[in-house]
Amino acid sequence: MDYVYGPGRNHLFVPGPVNIPEQVIRAMNRNNEDYRSPAVPAMTRTLLEDVKKIFKTTTGVPFLIPTTGTGAWESALTNTLSPGDRTVSFLIGQFSLLWIDQQQRLNFNVDVIESEWGQGANLEILASKLAADTAHTIKAICIVHNETATGVTNNLATVRKILDDYQHPALFLVDGVSSICALDFRMDEWGIDVALTGSQKALSMPTGMGIVCASPKALEASKTAKSVRVFFDWKDYLKFYNLGTFWPYTPSIQLLYGLRAALDLLFEEGLDNVIARHSRLGKATRLAVEAWGLKNCTQKEEWYSDTVTAVLVPPYIDSAEIVKRGWRRYNLSLGLGLNKVAGKVFRIGHLGNLNELQLLGCLAGVEMILKDVGYPIKLGSGVAAACAFLQNTTPLIASRI
Amino acid sequence: MDYVYGPGRNHLFVPGPVNIPEQVIRAMNRNNEDYRSPAVPAMTRTLLEDVKKIFKTTTGVPFLIPTTGTGAWESALTNTLSPGDRTVSFLIGQFSLLWIDQQQRLNFNVDVIESEWGQGANLEILASKLAADTAHTIKAICIVHNETATGVTNNLATVRKILDDYQHPALFLVDGVSSICALDFRMDEWGIDVALTGSQKALSMPTGMGIVCASPKALEASKTAKSVRVFFDWKDYLKFYNLGTFWPYTPSIQLLYGLRAALDLLFEEGLDNVIARHSRLGKATRLAVEAWGLKNCTQKEEWYSDTVTAVLVPPYIDSAEIVKRGWRRYNLSLGLGLNKVAGKVFRIGHLGNLNELQLLGCLAGVEMILKDVGYPIKLGSGVAAACAFLQNTTPLIASRI
Amino acid sequence: MDYVYGPGRNHLFVPGPVNIPEQVIRAMNRNNEDYRSPAVPAMTRTLLEDVKKIFKTTTGVPFLIPTTGTGAWESALTNTLSPGDRTVSFLIGQFSLLWIDQQQRLNFNVDVIESEWGQGANLEILASKLAADTAHTIKAICIVHNETATGVTNNLATVRKILDDYQHPALFLVDGVSSICALDFRMDEWGIDVALTGSQKALSMPTGMGIVCASPKALEASKTAKSVRVFFDWKDYLKFYNLGTFWPYTPSIQLLYGLRAALDLLFEEGLDNVIARHSRLGKATRLAVEAWGLKNCTQKEEWYSDTVTAVLVPPYIDSAEIVKRGWRRYNLSLGLGLNKVAGKVFRIGHLGNLNELQLLGCLAGVEMILKDVGYPIKLGSGVAAACAFLQNTTPLIASRI
Amino acid sequence: MDYVYGPGRNHLFVPGPVNIPEQVIRAMNRNNEDYRSPAVPAMTRTLLEDVKKIFKTTTGVPFLIPTTGTGAWESALTNTLSPGDRTVSFLIGQFSLLWIDQQQRLNFNVDVIESEWGQGANLEILASKLAADTAHTIKAICIVHNETATGVTNNLATVRKILDDYQHPALFLVDGVSSICALDFRMDEWGIDVALTGSQKALSMPTGMGIVCASPKALEASKTAKSVRVFFDWKDYLKFYNLGTFWPYTPSIQLLYGLRAALDLLFEEGLDNVIARHSRLGKATRLAVEAWGLKNCTQKEEWYSDTVTAVLVPPYIDSAEIVKRGWRRYNLSLGLGLNKVAGKVFRIGHLGNLNELQLLGCLAGVEMILKDVGYPIKLGSGVAAACAFLQNTTPLIASRI
């Protein structure tokens, strides 16, 4: 199936699935195992303990579900809510839209707060809704931490503050798919009730593991939530946690070992250093975009995303053409514009196990493509801007000092 | 995480997850890819076409869902049935029990036909229920083709015949988790409406892909089925099939390449040869059990399973001890007895990518363990019986003639 | 290149190359690295230190040469001897013959002590030669510890004793290709001057690393040895050892990591336990051969090899046919009879990373093949004999107690 | 052994060992096999046939030797020459120096033609020596096609022309270690008698296979060459070629499969396209060096190497510091200056399985390092120059059009 073979490495800059480090690929390069032997539960125990660290929680309970982000969403919702429950949800891009669609199809009463694509969640409207909701009809606030379609990061601390200001008991459900392990994320401090991510994002693993973490309050809610669920039911997991065998159905042995390796790498680098690296690469990307004279789809600095940058192209260019040329000519994989921004933006994913020179190679590629499609770019300008910043800020690799 | 290291290969004889051939491990040993590039849809197209062959269907539509067998069950049920619908389901062991539990939790009205564990589905009662159901209140027959807990294979052709005899329109839903790619399975000929399996069974891949195949009648039913579903909704798949991009959410790139390799191996050996090999290994196992003077949990020959053999131990032996010793002393992984037969049976899985000498090594190991736990076995007896049969029946390897 | 595909695992029982454990395969599954970065020397340092343990030496200096056993031979000889030097060498099988051939082509004056194939080195003749050699014209005794062609293990302690008895200063050069890491081997205690092995034997790695260990006396000899050498010259290695960069030319990065993993596994099991395991598997094999009514090519118990058993077949059977059938029908790889014993013996290699059930599967396969070619075997007899022994002697796996 | 872990990919730009494509890593990710089964000879036959294509020879005979480039040198020399034979050899850098050292240690009478490092072989002196050698005392011309230490490519066609001009019968031995599969190489057309390379160079495999190709004239010479040799003796290979079993001693199964994959990739891209890609990347690198205001160690354009560029740094900078910083800060592996040019040059290897964006990432990294060490570089300047060239010349990837 290598009929699309091109020489050299594929430069994978879609915002997921992202590059898998060799250490993780190696860890997964193995035969199956009996998941009922003593070995798998023993390893699972360490995974469940360690995975809490990426959520920055000590009181949460994590679930490693054989599914994708979409399934993780469903797990978060169906375990905590009942049909007809009112949720407040923010529509700011394709992924928040899909989550809202799921909420509607799961028969929740979704109160949508819409913003222009490129803007963050409108938290003023949230505040007014909470202020008005003295009867506490709002059961959950559902928010995508980082909207992957537009490169917008929402401020979760502010959401919590608003909830607290109004002493509102709504559950706080967060899609951290393109943020956890890359952006600052503090489940306990921000009082998040369910947080979730997928293995193929900043964890830098293959797709296939939805990681959901529930606060004690969310677990309590799950006892009375009436949404129909079986595969995604936390209860089955909790039953097997208590038995010490951990798995209600067969896990992927390979993904367990992969997660072990991925966590080991994150901890070796240091989670704070990982976040700082994403901040550095995000900033470098934005500096390049600015140097090219192009606009970031994200409208204000407060929403800038350190995991994905959506770049607006001039009206006379079809951004899909940029993506297509990257793949056909430079073995470069960029993200398409989706839905409302289709044709208008292309996206550079800069999350996961990635470093400065990889990003700079990508930026150089984008420059050549832009020139190719007729944009009057000064070749090297974006790379120069990014280098000027990175040369000043990139630390020595800790293990090599 | 190799603190349970033992020298030599692990002898994996649980009935799933099973041994992965090197070719599949190799095919999966790769970085992520952009699943929206032209490469992944092109490969997906071949997979969807080829995977139909393992179901023996030309009219069915397959779905490759990032989930396990439990999720595949849920996909089969929620896409075809509505809450309150009457299903007929057979309780003959732990996995049929779990499926029934799921049906009940999904709010179907489950009409359970129970048999003693070790017996097959009671099709006479099915016939009488269908005969009585002139109002066609029964919406679906749900049957586990091969009950992995007891090593019992049900006769699907007979189920179809009964449905036809009564001209009953109920959907025919089949769990083929431990049968498809190992036992004779004919979706079209037997008029099966939904068939499903999991990647970690006879396909000999890692866990993580639930493969569900729907007949035109099932697809038609899905248009009106009212069960709530999002992640498992076929509609989202069909939408992307029509778009030619195939994936409503991120697939595991590695499992796609793994499936490609797994199918290639199956077709290279020839599906009929694969089934014949399972038949040979199943018979050899049963001959060994007989030579040991032990009983098969399966009560009649008509139900003998060619993918798993549950062996009854004498009352003075705890079968869990056998499994434990296998693992601790011989690097042998056997299946535990589950639920009603816990402590009473141990299970030998002989499905997937496996050959004669692997099985004989396992049988020799079981003999030593049996002696170890005080069973008066004649060492070599089971191996001798199996060899006598295999020496007469094992064909030359086609590619080496 | 899988046109010889057969289902299930290949049962690899040639006496080399042997099965590679998954841990080693995984460790080698990686890109190249700059071998001049600080990382590779740092790892090399640990390898050179740890590899001495498999020779049981503290004073020896090891060389990890990118070559095979044949190259390791050449390294041992050319670094310590000068053209015209008299060596005493034992011809007892194909590999000792090949080493002698090499010695002759390297222009040494080889004094060959020949034995019938199936017998060990005739140490009485050695004694008489040493007794007669008061002028110390003999510069080296060259002996193959374990003759892989016939399954004969020579007694190195006795060789040392004879040398000591006559206070003879000859160098003691040992081919440990099919013994080191499998049989008791004591470089320092037995006063061995050069010992060598290859990575694809009991170390259970791919082919490609010749491991040569030199005593201080051998290193001293290398300063004056006049054999022409460059690639195999220890001097170049020693120069880079002193520089701390270790490599006179590019090593295989993959084999370095593979060696690291292989040593880790050996040490985790415990070298003495590894040797005991080989002893157990060797004995089990011989018990099976005896039960089959066949003769061991090795004529006396004192020479029995715990790494390879050469089985004599009756005159009416061509042993090559046995090997051929194993491969074509049971995916079993056995060793051919070589040279003088071609057609007369087939060989079962039982060295490296291997366990009881793997061996028993092989023995069952051999039984079926023997029946196939018309030998009046009682199926199961050899397995029964082996099981009776193994069931009594196999310890629990240390990590699983 | 990941104590030198850094996030993201290592950027491997030493001129060997080079990046291994995933396809080759995958192909090598396997257990050992019996190399005497029918499978390995069958594959070897295709390898020997296909490997001739990378030498552009139809009459040559290739040898796949388990060794490195140093061993391949030794094989070339000892099989064709006798002690005392006069060779003409060019000293233009570290690798030609090492080959000359080997020739001297192998007791040839080496007539060294020395040039300043950074210059190519002085072919005028060669001409004069040949002109004077009417007695044909010169037995071989030994030349390194591409001197990896200085980035100098010699003109082999001219060497042949000079030999022809003087109708001189000397053997023409060529080190193609850093040229074959990357630079234009025509064994038959240029009348080369022995050409050789190593697997870890432009073939993009792990180290461990020395590939030597002998012309009919070289094979004829090998019949009378008196250099002592065993491991490297072609005769043993030829004997097993005739037997159809191909291997005089155990090959690395993994490297055979790796070579198969590597050749398949080269042929899929097209050897001419591979060479054109190297030409493009070499030129882009030189344009960047020029833009930086630095000098190429290679003194004239006619000698520019498309596989490695040695960059001269100003006297106030230690080039070793550049290499060190690359590794410690940017996960970038550059080549050190060796011997005479130690501290004065750093080297960028741009050979093997590599593409434009990988190179551009490297160039950006070098810019930041240069700034770091105090060189007054304009960041982005080299990348801009390289991009301007590459944007005009990079073709679409053939398989993606």
Side-chain angles (χ1 to χ4, degrees), chain C residues 350-366:
Chain C
H350 31 78
L351 72 165
N353 197 274
L354 199 70
N355 60 29
E356 289 73 15
L357 302 202
Q358 285 174 283
L359 179 66
L360 290 166
C362 166
L363 296 177
V366 170

Side-chain angles (χ1 to χ4, degrees), chain A residues 3 18 32 42 74 105 231, chain B residues 3 18 32 42 74 105 231 236:
Chain A
Y3 62 98
V18 307
N32 281 328
E74 192 158 327
R105 288 163 68 185
F231 181 76
Chain B
Y3 63 97
V18 307
N32 280 329
E74 193 158 326
R105 289 163 67 184
F231 181 76
D236 298 271

Side-chain angles (χ1 to χ4, degrees), chain A residues 146 151-153 286 296 298-306:
Chain A
N146 186 77
V152 162
T153 303
R286 292 189 294 271
N296 197 322
T298 317
Q299 297 183 5
K300 287 192 193 163
E301 189 171 345
E302 60 175 301
W303 298 316
Y304 280 164
S305 165
D306 284 336

Side-chain angles (χ1 to χ4, degrees), chain A residues 124-137:
Chain A
E124 287 173 22
I125 299 186
L126 173 66
S128 66
K129 282 185 190 282
L130 289 177
D133 185 39
T134 50
H136 295 170
T137 62

Side-chain angles (χ1 to χ4, degrees), chain A residues 22-33:
Chain A
E22 262 200 4
Q23 290 88 338
V24 172
I25 291 179
R26 260 199 298 282
M28 296 184 61
N29 183 46
R30 64 175 65 232
N31 194 14
N32 281 328
E33 281 183 32

Side-chain angles (χ1 to χ4, degrees), chain D residues 357-368:
Chain D
L357 302 201
Q358 286 174 281
L359 179 66
L360 291 166
C362 165
L363 297 177
V366 170
E367 296 193 3
M368 293 193 289

